[in-house]
Amino acid sequence: RSWSVPLGALRLSRRYLEHDPPTDKQVRSLRAHIDGFLEELPLKRLPPGSRLVGTGGTVRNLAKIERFRLKTPGSRLHGHELAREAIDEIEMELRSLPRRKRTDVLGLSKDRSDSIVAGAVVIGRLLDYVDADDILVSGQGLREGLAYAALGEMDAEPESVRATSIEALLARFRGVDADHGVRRAKLAVTLFSRLVRHEGERGRLFAQALDYAARVLDIGRAVDFFDRHEHAARIVLASELDGFSQVEVARIAAVLHAADEEGIDLDEYSPLVDGADRATVEKAAVILLLADDLLERAPRGTTPRLTVTVRGDKVIVRPTRVSAWRNRGLGDRFLRTFKKELFVDV
């Protein structure tokens, strides 16, 4: 279902925000006007698991301003999660400035300097009305929607979109075997489920990031074998991965980058991946290295079956069809990360 209401940013700016900069009284009148229209719509609070998604120039411009404020990694706006508090902060900053000064705000397009305040007020009121904590920004709009409709792909499930994005990314690099990445991911997820416990939602999110990181690792190898983890991370950040939010892309890249070298600086992934995530990122990175090493020692085209036993200060991994495993420094890093000694019984 859809509804259309006359709450265009430029229309509202001309009608309600006459002063430059607008007064508090004018902003209050604008909010009351917006609320009147929202109350007429059959909108309810977002049910659990649902997201509010925004498209169009205003929401993208607000996201762009926040990206400059936070210095978030990557360059894309698609998938950016714009928090309610951030909208408030941006609105307060912009409405305190005259229009000629707003153009100095990093990320603000000049042609939206006269309408951005009203647009921010509309989006903020909508979030409040449906009780949403944030709005997920779409970098696509009506033109892309028409194209998807013509292709008959409007009803694609999120997981299907993600799979297609990963497939398209891998296809750009000659010699990358997607099935090999799937086998590596299977090993990595199995190891993670046994070795990383009691981390709640953070553990679940990084298990998902590890799964995708394992699938795309070989795009880095296509560039340079020795720095493959860092190259893969850079490519992931620079890619348009439809179906993934910006923070999900950052988690995947952080896991890949952390696997490159122990103790690597992950500040460039802040604030999407923060200090509280550091230990989980390191665990996922070590597991990625172990899964990759085990798969490389198995016959091509096969997936070893794993038995993982955690006993006191030891972790014993028994893989099938893997021969001649050697520590080569991975065991030492495993010990520092998990505080347990790694034994691979082949």
Side-chain angles (χ1 to χ4, degrees), residues 265-331:
D265 184 7
L266 294 178
D267 286 349
E268 64 182 279
Y269 298 97
S270 178
L272 304 179
V273 177
D274 59 27
D277 298 321
R278 175 74 226 203
T280 310
V281 171
E282 176 65 13
K283 291 175 183 177
V286 172
I287 288 172
L288 176 59
L289 291 172
L290 178 56
D292 189 42
D293 198 60
L294 292 173
L295 190 62
E296 287 298 318
R297 296 175 179 280
R300 192 71 179 176
T302 65
T303 305
R305 291 194 301 272
L306 300 181
T307 300
V308 181
T309 304
V310 181
R311 184 182 303 151
D313 58 355
K314 297 179 181 180
V315 172
I316 304 170
V317 178
R318 294 185 176 90
T320 62
R321 294 175 289 188
V322 171
S323 60
W325 188 85
R326 289 184 296 131
N327 188 321
R328 296 188 304 178
L330 179 55

Side-chain angles (χ1 to χ4, degrees), residues 38-102:
L38 293 178
E39 288 170 1
E40 294 178 2
L41 299 177
L43 295 176
K44 300 179 181 179
R45 292 181 57 181
L46 286 181
S50 298
R51 297 296 303 272
L52 184 64
V53 178
T55 187
T58 295
V59 71
R60 286 199 298 268
N61 216 175
L62 291 172
K64 190 174 181 181
I65 292 170
E66 190 188 31
R67 279 184 44 77
F68 275 99
R69 287 159 60 100
L70 300 179
K71 299 179 180 179
T72 54
S75 59
R76 74 177 198 161
L77 294 174
H78 190 71
H80 183 88
E81 295 171 301
L82 186 60
R84 179 68 182 91
E85 295 81 3
I87 296 173
D88 272 344
E89 292 172 3
I90 294 171
E91 178 200 320
M92 291 295 293
E93 177 186 0
L94 293 176
R95 82 183 207 198
S96 68
L97 300 172
R99 290 170 188 164
R100 60 183 177 81
K101 287 288 188 180
R102 288 178 201 156

Side-chain angles (χ1 to χ4, degrees), residues 8-308:
L10 191 57
R11 176 204 297 257
L12 297 180
S13 296
R14 290 173 176 170
R15 181 174 177 182
Y16 285 94
L17 307 183
E18 298 175 348
H19 286 78
D20 184 25
T23 65
D24 290 343
K25 182 179 179 180
Q26 289 174 338
V27 173
R28 287 195 297 271
S29 296
L30 173 58
R31 287 174 178 158
H33 175 77
I34 295 167
D35 289 347
F37 277 99
L38 293 178
E39 288 170 1
E40 294 178 2
L41 299 177
L43 295 176
K44 300 179 181 179
R45 292 181 57 181
L46 286 181
S50 298
R51 297 296 303 272
L52 184 64
V53 178
T55 187
T58 295
V59 71
R60 286 199 298 268
N61 216 175
L62 291 172
K64 190 174 181 181
I65 292 170
E66 190 188 31
R67 279 184 44 77
F68 275 99
R69 287 159 60 100
L70 300 179
K71 299 179 180 179
T72 54
S75 59
R76 74 177 198 161
L77 294 174
H78 190 71
H80 183 88
E81 295 171 301
L82 186 60
R84 179 68 182 91
E85 295 81 3
I87 296 173
D88 272 344
E89 292 172 3
I90 294 171
E91 178 200 320
M92 291 295 293
E93 177 186 0
L94 293 176
R95 82 183 207 198
S96 68
L97 300 172
R99 290 170 188 164
R100 60 183 177 81
K101 287 288 188 180
R102 288 178 201 156
T103 56
D104 295 333
V105 175
L106 293 177
L108 177 60
S109 300
K110 292 182 179 180
D111 59 354
R112 293 194 179 272
S113 62
D114 57 346
S115 64
I116 191 67
V117 173
V121 174
V122 171
I123 294 171
R125 297 312 292 167
L126 177 60
L127 264 72
D128 290 342
Y129 198 81
V130 300
D131 198 23
D133 295 327
D134 57 29
I135 184 167
L136 186 63
V137 179
S138 170
Q140 302 177 344
L142 291 176
R143 288 172 295 184
E144 290 84 357
L146 288 170
Y148 286 133
L151 293 170
E153 297 182 359
M154 291 298 290
D155 297 324
E157 292 294 325
E159 284 305 317
S160 174
V161 176
R162 290 173 182 235
T164 300
S165 295
I166 295 296
E167 181 182 345
L169 175 61
L170 295 175
R172 299 176 195 171
F173 297 87
R174 183 181 301 172
V176 172
D177 183 353
D179 291 337
H180 189 74
V182 170
R183 288 189 286 272
R184 183 192 296 117
K186 183 177 180 180
L187 294 179
V189 170
T190 298
L191 289 165
F192 193 92
S193 67
R194 293 304 313 274
L195 299 177
V196 182
R197 299 186 176 186
H198 313 299
E199 295 200 13
E201 181 67 4
R202 177 180 288 113
R204 185 189 70 80
L205 293 173
F206 277 98
Q208 184 182 68
L210 172 62
D211 184 358
Y212 288 112
R215 293 170 187 262
V216 303
L217 172 59
D218 290 336
I219 62 177
R221 180 177 281 143
V223 178
D224 178 22
F225 177 84
F226 293 103
D227 293 322
R228 59 192 182 279
H229 302 94
E230 181 179 356
H231 284 301
R234 303 292 186 199
I235 294 169
V236 165
L237 277 181
S239 300
E240 290 290 339
L241 289 177
D242 290 343
F244 294 87
S245 70
Q246 196 175 56
V247 67
E248 288 169 335
V249 172
R251 291 191 194 109
I252 296 169
V255 170
L256 286 164
H257 203 163
D260 185 59
E261 184 179 336
E262 187 174 8
I264 201 163
D265 184 7
L266 294 178
D267 286 349
E268 64 182 279
Y269 298 97
S270 178
L272 304 179
V273 177
D274 59 27
D277 298 321
R278 175 74 226 203
T280 310
V281 171
E282 176 65 13
K283 291 175 183 177
V286 172
I287 288 172
L288 176 59
L289 291 172
L290 178 56
D292 189 42
D293 198 60
L294 292 173
L295 190 62
E296 287 298 318
R297 296 175 179 280
R300 192 71 179 176
T302 65
T303 305
R305 291 194 301 272
L306 300 181
T307 300
V308 181

